[in-house]
Amino acid sequence: MDITKEKVYKPIRKVKDDKFSIDKIEQYCLILEIGDRDLQVSIIDIKSNRVLILEDYSLNKTADEHQKVQVLKALFDSHHLLMVGFWKEVILCFKTPKYCLAPLSYFSKDNARAILKMNCEVHKDESVGYYKVNSNNSVNIFTYQKEVLKFVRSIYVNSKIKVTHQSGMLVNAVLYNPPFANENELSLYIDRFYLHAAVTNNGKLLYFNSFKIQKFEEYTRYINLICNEFKILKKEGVINLWGYIKKDSSHFNALKKDFPALTMGSRTKKLNFGFKFDEIAEHQYFDVFGNYFNL
């Protein structure tokens, strides 16, 4: 891949609040959420809990971590803020497919890799990270791209960097988003080629899992399995949906037909949004904002 001849990223969405000030960067949190083919950037004022910037990019497919860093470097070098190094906090969130949520009481640093290997295949050359999920007593264990973390650390040498995973941030987003039902409720998040699902009861997490989606019919199949397992009624139950899907789309209408109780989820009330964010549907970027609750 020759990054000097090829545009390796594409901006999908950019929103900037008028209250953003370059002079206040030392009180801002920078969130970077990185997937195989995408990157989301958000900046939040820690003092006011106000979301100031949200950006979404598609990235070219890469063969390895070295190429991913090249793509990120091309984007960062051309960005007016990402090379600034004085953020109050930086959160780097990975969207890797290998992860698990383990009870805090069963976790120790020495057995992190062993616990993850109970849930998925982990190769010797894969880096394994972990952190406590702030919204409940669990530890998120996951694989991450070591070269990407090294690249981010080389830029933000003066900032505190926290490394997280999308799964734990979705748990945060769900558990910091009352009101909660006194029954089993299903929270769904549709990402690019993935379905993430959480079941909660009265603000307690009962279940979380992710499913790779290859055709639309698989959404219905997986949601049916979860509803049957946790006795969630398709017509009268509580089923909320967030993510990359439009409310007036044919896909949403098809899901609504199979699950009449399905409704679009809302943003957390713990963050503040200016009018510039009215152009973004409230059910989008739910996972990105969930990172803020792991400061």
Side-chain angles (χ1 to χ4, degrees), residues 64-173:
D64 52 37
E65 294 185 24
H66 177 69
Q67 281 192 357
K68 174 61 72 65
V69 170
Q70 284 186 298
V71 170
L72 292 174
K73 188 176 187 302
L75 195 161
F76 278 50
D77 285 345
S78 65
H79 199 281
H80 68 296
L81 287 174
L82 290 180
M83 295 301 291
V84 177
F86 297 98
W87 307 97
K88 177 72 172 179
E89 301 264 6
V90 176
I91 297 180
L92 174 61
C93 180
F94 287 95
K95 297 168 69 173
T96 53
K98 298 181 180 181
Y99 76 88
C100 71
L101 291 160
L104 182 61
S105 57
Y106 287 95
F107 173 80
S108 73
K109 296 179 180 180
D110 295 333
N111 66 12
R113 181 178 289 267
I115 292 175
L116 183 58
K117 288 176 71 174
M118 294 173 63
N119 291 269
C120 56
E121 185 178 5
V122 182
H123 302 294
K124 290 183 178 180
D125 59 344
E126 290 185 295
S127 301
V128 174
Y130 51 84
Y131 64 94
K132 183 187 179 301
V133 179
N134 278 354
S135 58
N136 70 349
N137 289 320
S138 67
V139 176
N140 203 179
I141 309 171
F142 57 96
T143 59
Y144 68 92
Q145 295 174 315
K146 188 175 182 179
E147 290 300 315
V148 171
L149 176 57
K150 182 179 178 181
F151 167 69
V152 170
R153 281 178 171 163
S154 71
I155 298 173
Y156 307 120
V157 294
N158 297 305
S159 301
K160 183 178 181 180
I161 299 175
K162 291 186 177 181
V163 182
T164 65
H165 189 268
Q166 183 191 30
S167 55
M169 298 307 95
L170 282 169
V171 170
N172 271 348

Side-chain angles (χ1 to χ4, degrees), residues 189-229:
Y189 187 86
I190 292 179
D191 202 349
R192 295 162 172 125
F193 311 112
Y194 277 90
L195 170 68
H196 306 281
V199 177
T200 56
N201 188 304
N202 200 27
K204 303 290 186 181
L205 182 69
L206 305 180
Y207 170 89
F208 186 91
N209 205 352
S210 303
F211 307 92
K212 187 170 179 60
I213 302 297
Q214 296 180 329
K215 54 185 179 180
F216 181 78
E217 294 76 14
E218 292 176 337
Y219 285 112
T220 299
R221 180 159 63 90
Y222 291 130
I223 297 172
N224 264 322
L225 288 172
I226 298 170
C227 286
N228 291 336
E229 175 69 20

Side-chain angles (χ1 to χ4, degrees), residues 230-277:
F230 291 93
K231 296 179 172 55
I232 298 171
L233 300 177
K234 300 176 188 178
K235 292 184 179 180
E236 297 87 12
V238 182
I239 307 176
N240 295 311
L241 176 65
W242 289 268
Y244 291 88
I245 186 170
K246 293 182 179 180
K247 189 173 182 179
D248 57 353
S249 66
S250 59
H251 283 174
F252 176 79
N253 290 333
L255 289 174
K256 183 73 173 177
K257 182 178 179 181
D258 290 329
F259 306 95
L262 186 69
T263 60
M264 285 297 193
S266 60
R267 288 177 185 152
T268 175
K269 300 299 189 294
K270 294 184 180 293
L271 289 174
N272 302 310
F273 296 84
F275 73 92
K276 290 289 185 69
F277 285 84

Side-chain angles (χ1 to χ4, degrees), residues 10-57:
K10 177 182 178 182
I12 297 173
R13 172 163 281 164
K14 291 187 178 183
V15 181
K16 183 178 181 181
D17 191 283
D18 292 337
K19 290 186 178 295
F20 176 85
S21 172
I22 193 73
D23 297 325
K24 296 181 179 179
I25 276 185
E26 291 184 352
Q27 70 185 50
Y28 293 163
C29 169
L30 171 65
I31 297 170
L32 305 169
E33 186 163 293
I34 299 177
D36 286 342
R37 302 286 302 275
D38 63 315
L39 166 69
Q40 289 79 47
V41 177
S42 186
I43 296 172
I44 302 177
D45 187 335
I46 294 176
K47 288 189 176 181
S48 64
N49 295 330
R50 188 179 181 95
V51 180
L52 300 174
I53 286 178
L54 178 69
E55 298 179 357
D56 191 3
Y57 298 88

Side-chain angles (χ1 to χ4, degrees), residues 176-192:
Y176 280 116
N177 195 35
F180 303 116
N182 293 318
E183 61 181 290
N184 289 351
E185 56 182 309
L186 176 58
S187 297
L188 303 168
Y189 187 86
I190 292 179
D191 202 349
R192 295 162 172 125

